[in-house]
Amino acid sequence: MNKSSILIFSPDNEPYLGSQLLKLFDDTIVKSMAVHRQLGARTYAADLSQLQIAATEIIPQGVSIALSMRELIRQGYLFSAGILMRPLVERAGMIYYLHKYPEAVRSWHDGWPRKTQPTFDKLLDLIMPSTCDEERKETLEILNKLVHSDPKTASYNSTTRSDGLCASAAGKELNEPIKADAISAFATRCLDRLTSISIQILGAPSEQIH
C-alpha cells in the first residue's frame, strides 16, 4: 500500500520504521515508563520534600510531551513534533535547575513570575552540558525559531513530494528521515535526562531496569 494513502499509521507500518535513532527513542521510552511506574507510587507519600513535590508537577509533563512527540513522528507530523522540542527542554531543564539551586524551589511553589525564572539558554545548558558552542548555538536558534512564525522556519517545514518537487508541508511528512532522526535523537536525550533526574530526586527503583 502507498504510504501516502494511509490516514492513520500503526507501529507496524509507520513511515520511519527501521530508523536506528527512532528505535533508540522507543527503547528510552520503555525504560523511562518502567522507572516512572515504580517511582510514581512513591509520590503518594505524605512526607515528600518541596523539591519532590515540584518534581511530581514538572516531570510528568515532560514525559507526556516526549510521548506526544513519538506519536507525531509515527503519524508523520514532523513539524509539530519539532515544535515540542522547546517545551520538552523547558520541563527537563527546570527540574534540573531546581535540583541544582534548591533555594529556587520556594519560588516555584510561590508562583514564580515568568520574567524572574531562569532563561531558556540556561535551561538548555542544563540539558546539554557537554555540547560544543557551535552545536549549542544552532540548537538554540532552531528551538527558538520553531515556536514562532518566522521566515527561517520555512526550511524546517519543507518536504520533498513524490514527484521530486519541494513544498511546504501542511500535513504528514513521509519522506524526511534526516528530520525524523534529528527529532528522535533530541527527544531521546531529553527523556533520558528526565529519567535520570527522577531517580536522583525520588530514589532508585527497587530493581535495576535496563
Side-chain angles (χ1 to χ4, degrees), residues 44-58:
Y44 292 97
D47 59 346
L48 294 180
S49 69
Q50 291 300 299
L51 175 61
Q52 289 174 326
I53 292 173
T56 67
E57 296 169 345
I58 298 170

Side-chain angles (χ1 to χ4, degrees), residues 134-180:
E134 183 177 355
E135 181 183 357
R136 179 187 175 280
K137 181 179 179 180
E138 291 177 356
T139 301
L140 185 61
E141 181 180 21
I142 290 173
L143 298 184
N144 284 334
K145 296 295 185 182
L146 279 174
V147 298
H148 302 296
S149 179
D150 188 285
K152 289 189 177 181
T153 63
S155 61
Y156 307 127
N157 196 36
S158 64
T159 188
T160 303
R161 303 191 328 174
S162 58
D163 58 7
L165 295 176
C166 290
S168 294
K172 298 178 184 291
E173 297 176 60
L174 305 179
N175 190 34
E176 299 295 334
I178 295 177
K179 192 184 302 183

Side-chain angles (χ1 to χ4, degrees), residues 15-31:
Y16 299 105
L17 191 65
S19 162
Q20 291 302 307
L21 288 174
L22 188 58
K23 173 63 164 55
L24 181 60
F25 187 17
D26 284 338
D27 291 343
T28 303
I29 288 173
V30 171
K31 175 186 174 183

